[in-house]
Amino acid sequence: MKRQLLKHINYILGIIVGLLGFQSCDSIGGSELVEYGCPHAEFSIKGKVTDVNGNPIAGEEIIAQATDGHELYNQDEEKKVLTDNDGQYINEQVITFAPPKVRVIVVDNTGKYQNDTVQIELQKTKNGEGWFEGRFEGSADFKLKEK
């Protein structure tokens, strides 16, 4: 008896919770849909790292940081980007917000060159919809000086 009563109560509560869940995704007195999610945007930073003579430098680490103190990556998943044999790099990610400015840092892995930093402003290249804020792109080229 007690077991059947609990089963019926659980069944009724399941229906109520289900209806409330669907109701929370409904519009609230207007045309905008209320939904669960997290704002996010795509960003892409690309460029080239050379020495002062224009020779490409391979294997240099590129770090992108938001200038407003937020992290661009999930802290559990730091993405390491290195330059290729032509000194080119591209850092493409999906982030939880779109910062207006980004600090790009080159960390020399050869021990031969000085690290360098530049601040760039990201340009919106694609509009978003709903939780997707769009795509933002920027570029930063570096000419590293020897130590």
Side-chain angles (χ1 to χ4, degrees), residues 48-74:
K48 186 172 185 173
V49 179
T50 62
D51 63 14
V52 291
N53 298 321
N55 300 315
I57 306 172
E60 299 294 67
E61 185 176 348
I62 308 298
I63 301 169
Q65 296 176 337
T67 58
D68 61 2
H70 289 92
E71 294 291 328
L72 287 180
Y73 327 103
N74 179 339

mmCIF file of all heavy atoms in Angstrom, residues 48-74:
data_model
loop_
_atom_site.group_PDB
_atom_site.id
_atom_site.type_symbol
_atom_site.label_atom_id
_atom_site.label_comp_id
_atom_site.label_asym_id
_atom_site.label_seq_id
_atom_site.Cartn_x
_atom_site.Cartn_y
_atom_site.Cartn_z
ATOM 1 N N LYS A 48 51.784 35.769 -37.949
ATOM 2 C CA LYS A 48 53.074 35.181 -38.300
ATOM 3 C C LYS A 48 54.140 35.714 -37.348
ATOM 4 O O LYS A 48 54.111 36.881 -36.953
ATOM 5 C CB LYS A 48 53.430 35.551 -39.747
ATOM 6 C CG LYS A 48 54.671 34.882 -40.265
ATOM 7 C CD LYS A 48 54.863 35.137 -41.748
ATOM 8 C CE LYS A 48 56.058 34.348 -42.255
ATOM 9 N NZ LYS A 48 56.199 34.428 -43.699
ATOM 10 N N VAL A 49 55.083 34.846 -36.999
ATOM 11 C CA VAL A 49 56.195 35.215 -36.128
ATOM 12 C C VAL A 49 57.489 35.041 -36.911
ATOM 13 O O VAL A 49 57.771 33.955 -37.433
ATOM 14 C CB VAL A 49 56.218 34.341 -34.845
ATOM 15 C CG1 VAL A 49 57.397 34.718 -33.963
ATOM 16 C CG2 VAL A 49 54.908 34.471 -34.084
ATOM 17 N N THR A 50 58.239 36.140 -37.010
ATOM 18 C CA THR A 50 59.523 36.129 -37.714
ATOM 19 C C THR A 50 60.583 36.808 -36.853
ATOM 20 O O THR A 50 60.267 37.444 -35.849
ATOM 21 C CB THR A 50 59.429 36.883 -39.061
ATOM 22 O OG1 THR A 50 59.105 38.257 -38.806
ATOM 23 C CG2 THR A 50 58.383 36.271 -39.974
ATOM 24 N N ASP A 51 61.846 36.685 -37.281
ATOM 25 C CA ASP A 51 62.892 37.476 -36.644
ATOM 26 C C ASP A 51 62.923 38.849 -37.326
ATOM 27 O O ASP A 51 62.143 39.111 -38.243
ATOM 28 C CB ASP A 51 64.242 36.745 -36.693
ATOM 29 C CG ASP A 51 64.765 36.505 -38.096
ATOM 30 O OD1 ASP A 51 64.244 37.113 -39.064
ATOM 31 O OD2 ASP A 51 65.698 35.703 -38.240
ATOM 32 N N VAL A 52 63.830 39.723 -36.907
ATOM 33 C CA VAL A 52 63.870 41.081 -37.473
ATOM 34 C C VAL A 52 64.242 41.087 -38.948
ATOM 35 O O VAL A 52 63.967 42.049 -39.665
ATOM 36 C CB VAL A 52 64.827 41.998 -36.668
ATOM 37 C CG1 VAL A 52 64.259 42.278 -35.293
ATOM 38 C CG2 VAL A 52 66.217 41.412 -36.572
ATOM 39 N N ASN A 53 64.842 39.997 -39.445
ATOM 40 C CA ASN A 53 65.201 39.896 -40.858
ATOM 41 C C ASN A 53 64.085 39.286 -41.707
ATOM 42 O O ASN A 53 64.256 39.107 -42.911
ATOM 43 C CB ASN A 53 66.486 39.063 -41.022
ATOM 44 C CG ASN A 53 67.662 39.708 -40.332
ATOM 45 O OD1 ASN A 53 67.818 40.926 -40.366
ATOM 46 N ND2 ASN A 53 68.483 38.902 -39.673
ATOM 47 N N GLY A 54 62.958 38.921 -41.068
ATOM 48 C CA GLY A 54 61.835 38.358 -41.802
ATOM 49 C C GLY A 54 61.866 36.848 -41.942
ATOM 50 O O GLY A 54 61.032 36.281 -42.648
ATOM 51 N N ASN A 55 62.807 36.172 -41.281
ATOM 52 C CA ASN A 55 62.876 34.710 -41.321
ATOM 53 C C ASN A 55 61.857 34.119 -40.349
ATOM 54 O O ASN A 55 61.800 34.515 -39.183
ATOM 55 C CB ASN A 55 64.284 34.229 -40.941
ATOM 56 C CG ASN A 55 65.333 34.762 -41.895
ATOM 57 O OD1 ASN A 55 65.141 34.742 -43.101
ATOM 58 N ND2 ASN A 55 66.424 35.269 -41.339
ATOM 59 N N PRO A 56 61.038 33.165 -40.805
ATOM 60 C CA PRO A 56 60.020 32.589 -39.920
ATOM 61 C C PRO A 56 60.649 31.816 -38.770
ATOM 62 O O PRO A 56 61.721 31.220 -38.916
ATOM 63 C CB PRO A 56 59.231 31.657 -40.839
ATOM 64 C CG PRO A 56 60.103 31.392 -42.003
ATOM 65 C CD PRO A 56 61.025 32.556 -42.143
ATOM 66 N N ILE A 57 59.963 31.847 -37.621
ATOM 67 C CA ILE A 57 60.436 31.129 -36.436
ATOM 68 C C ILE A 57 59.376 30.081 -36.080
ATOM 69 O O ILE A 57 58.235 30.414 -35.787
ATOM 70 C CB ILE A 57 60.653 32.076 -35.248
ATOM 71 C CG1 ILE A 57 61.590 33.235 -35.636
ATOM 72 C CG2 ILE A 57 61.214 31.311 -34.058
ATOM 73 C CD1 ILE A 57 61.706 34.305 -34.573
ATOM 74 N N ALA A 58 59.770 28.826 -36.106
ATOM 75 C CA ALA A 58 58.853 27.720 -35.792
ATOM 76 C C ALA A 58 58.898 27.401 -34.303
ATOM 77 O O ALA A 58 59.911 27.603 -33.633
ATOM 78 C CB ALA A 58 59.235 26.487 -36.600
ATOM 79 N N GLY A 59 57.792 26.870 -33.786
ATOM 80 C CA GLY A 59 57.750 26.361 -32.424
ATOM 81 C C GLY A 59 57.559 27.401 -31.340
ATOM 82 O O GLY A 59 57.717 27.087 -30.159
ATOM 83 N N GLU A 60 57.189 28.616 -31.691
ATOM 84 C CA GLU A 60 56.951 29.645 -30.684
ATOM 85 C C GLU A 60 55.536 29.487 -30.127
ATOM 86 O O GLU A 60 54.589 29.236 -30.860
ATOM 87 C CB GLU A 60 57.121 31.047 -31.276
ATOM 88 C CG GLU A 60 58.515 31.312 -31.810
ATOM 89 C CD GLU A 60 59.588 31.344 -30.742
ATOM 90 O OE1 GLU A 60 59.844 30.270 -30.156
ATOM 91 O OE2 GLU A 60 60.154 32.403 -30.507
ATOM 92 N N GLU A 61 55.397 29.651 -28.821
ATOM 93 C CA GLU A 61 54.101 29.486 -28.169
ATOM 94 C C GLU A 61 53.302 30.791 -28.225
ATOM 95 O O GLU A 61 53.815 31.857 -27.914
ATOM 96 C CB GLU A 61 54.297 29.075 -26.718
ATOM 97 C CG GLU A 61 53.006 28.771 -26.000
ATOM 98 C CD GLU A 61 53.244 28.264 -24.584
ATOM 99 O OE1 GLU A 61 54.382 27.940 -24.218
ATOM 100 O OE2 GLU A 61 52.254 28.206 -23.846
ATOM 101 N N ILE A 62 52.029 30.678 -28.613
ATOM 102 C CA ILE A 62 51.144 31.835 -28.704
ATOM 103 C C ILE A 62 50.086 31.714 -27.616
ATOM 104 O O ILE A 62 49.400 30.703 -27.516
ATOM 105 C CB ILE A 62 50.447 31.911 -30.083
ATOM 106 C CG1 ILE A 62 51.458 31.834 -31.223
ATOM 107 C CG2 ILE A 62 49.573 33.148 -30.172
ATOM 108 C CD1 ILE A 62 52.458 32.960 -31.264
ATOM 109 N N ILE A 63 49.947 32.763 -26.806
ATOM 110 C CA ILE A 63 48.963 32.797 -25.728
ATOM 111 C C ILE A 63 48.040 33.983 -25.976
ATOM 112 O O ILE A 63 48.504 35.081 -26.247
ATOM 113 C CB ILE A 63 49.650 32.945 -24.352
ATOM 114 C CG1 ILE A 63 50.601 31.786 -24.108
ATOM 115 C CG2 ILE A 63 48.614 33.056 -23.238
ATOM 116 C CD1 ILE A 63 51.514 31.974 -22.907
ATOM 117 N N ALA A 64 46.731 33.747 -25.880
ATOM 118 C CA ALA A 64 45.746 34.818 -26.019
ATOM 119 C C ALA A 64 45.067 35.031 -24.677
ATOM 120 O O ALA A 64 44.609 34.072 -24.050
ATOM 121 C CB ALA A 64 44.722 34.471 -27.084
ATOM 122 N N GLN A 65 45.014 36.302 -24.215
ATOM 123 C CA GLN A 65 44.375 36.627 -22.945
ATOM 124 C C GLN A 65 43.411 37.781 -23.158
ATOM 125 O O GLN A 65 43.718 38.726 -23.883
ATOM 126 C CB GLN A 65 45.403 37.072 -21.908
ATOM 127 C CG GLN A 65 46.410 36.033 -21.516
ATOM 128 C CD GLN A 65 47.443 36.599 -20.558
ATOM 129 O OE1 GLN A 65 47.676 37.795 -20.511
ATOM 130 N NE2 GLN A 65 48.071 35.717 -19.797
ATOM 131 N N ALA A 66 42.268 37.722 -22.499
ATOM 132 C CA ALA A 66 41.330 38.844 -22.530
ATOM 133 C C ALA A 66 41.910 39.967 -21.676
ATOM 134 O O ALA A 66 42.508 39.716 -20.632
ATOM 135 C CB ALA A 66 39.978 38.413 -22.003
ATOM 136 N N THR A 67 41.763 41.195 -22.128
ATOM 137 C CA THR A 67 42.329 42.326 -21.388
ATOM 138 C C THR A 67 41.466 42.748 -20.210
ATOM 139 O O THR A 67 41.900 43.518 -19.379
ATOM 140 C CB THR A 67 42.535 43.535 -22.311
ATOM 141 O OG1 THR A 67 41.275 43.893 -22.885
ATOM 142 C CG2 THR A 67 43.530 43.228 -23.402
ATOM 143 N N ASP A 68 40.240 42.216 -20.121
ATOM 144 C CA ASP A 68 39.361 42.592 -19.014
ATOM 145 C C ASP A 68 39.435 41.613 -17.845
ATOM 146 O O ASP A 68 38.615 41.644 -16.950
ATOM 147 C CB ASP A 68 37.920 42.737 -19.496
ATOM 148 C CG ASP A 68 37.362 41.448 -20.065
ATOM 149 O OD1 ASP A 68 38.068 40.424 -20.052
ATOM 150 O OD2 ASP A 68 36.214 41.463 -20.526
ATOM 151 N N GLY A 69 40.406 40.709 -17.858
ATOM 152 C CA GLY A 69 40.621 39.798 -16.742
ATOM 153 C C GLY A 69 39.937 38.455 -16.857
ATOM 154 O O GLY A 69 40.196 37.572 -16.064
ATOM 155 N N HIS A 70 39.045 38.262 -17.822
ATOM 156 C CA HIS A 70 38.383 36.974 -18.004
ATOM 157 C C HIS A 70 39.309 36.000 -18.724
ATOM 158 O O HIS A 70 40.218 36.408 -19.436
ATOM 159 C CB HIS A 70 37.101 37.133 -18.827
ATOM 160 C CG HIS A 70 36.013 37.814 -18.093
ATOM 161 N ND1 HIS A 70 35.837 39.170 -18.156
ATOM 162 C CD2 HIS A 70 35.060 37.340 -17.273
ATOM 163 C CE1 HIS A 70 34.808 39.506 -17.413
ATOM 164 N NE2 HIS A 70 34.312 38.410 -16.861
ATOM 165 N N GLU A 71 39.056 34.730 -18.530
ATOM 166 C CA GLU A 71 39.795 33.687 -19.233
ATOM 167 C C GLU A 71 39.155 33.439 -20.586
ATOM 168 O O GLU A 71 37.937 33.441 -20.708
ATOM 169 C CB GLU A 71 39.805 32.391 -18.428
ATOM 170 C CG GLU A 71 40.566 32.465 -17.133
ATOM 171 C CD GLU A 71 42.066 32.599 -17.319
ATOM 172 O OE1 GLU A 71 42.598 32.060 -18.294
ATOM 173 O OE2 GLU A 71 42.688 33.264 -16.482
ATOM 174 N N LEU A 72 39.959 33.238 -21.614
ATOM 175 C CA LEU A 72 39.419 32.906 -22.926
ATOM 176 C C LEU A 72 39.121 31.420 -23.041
ATOM 177 O O LEU A 72 38.327 31.013 -23.860
ATOM 178 C CB LEU A 72 40.400 33.301 -24.034
ATOM 179 C CG LEU A 72 40.521 34.789 -24.308
ATOM 180 C CD1 LEU A 72 41.519 35.025 -25.425
ATOM 181 C CD2 LEU A 72 39.195 35.386 -24.672
ATOM 182 N N TYR A 73 39.782 30.605 -22.246
ATOM 183 C CA TYR A 73 39.603 29.167 -22.338
ATOM 184 C C TYR A 73 38.946 28.673 -21.064
ATOM 185 O O TYR A 73 38.996 29.306 -20.034
ATOM 186 C CB TYR A 73 40.929 28.416 -22.468
ATOM 187 C CG TYR A 73 42.008 29.113 -23.210
ATOM 188 C CD1 TYR A 73 43.062 29.711 -22.552
ATOM 189 C CD2 TYR A 73 41.971 29.175 -24.587
ATOM 190 C CE1 TYR A 73 44.060 30.340 -23.250
ATOM 191 C CE2 TYR A 73 42.968 29.804 -25.291
ATOM 192 C CZ TYR A 73 44.017 30.384 -24.618
ATOM 193 O OH TYR A 73 44.994 31.004 -25.318
ATOM 194 N N ASN A 74 38.421 27.475 -21.136
ATOM 195 C CA ASN A 74 38.017 26.754 -19.948
ATOM 196 C C ASN A 74 39.315 26.451 -19.188
ATOM 197 O O ASN A 74 40.277 25.971 -19.766
ATOM 198 C CB ASN A 74 37.318 25.461 -20.377
ATOM 199 C CG ASN A 74 36.883 24.625 -19.209
ATOM 200 O OD1 ASN A 74 37.390 24.753 -18.099
ATOM 201 N ND2 ASN A 74 35.943 23.748 -19.467
#
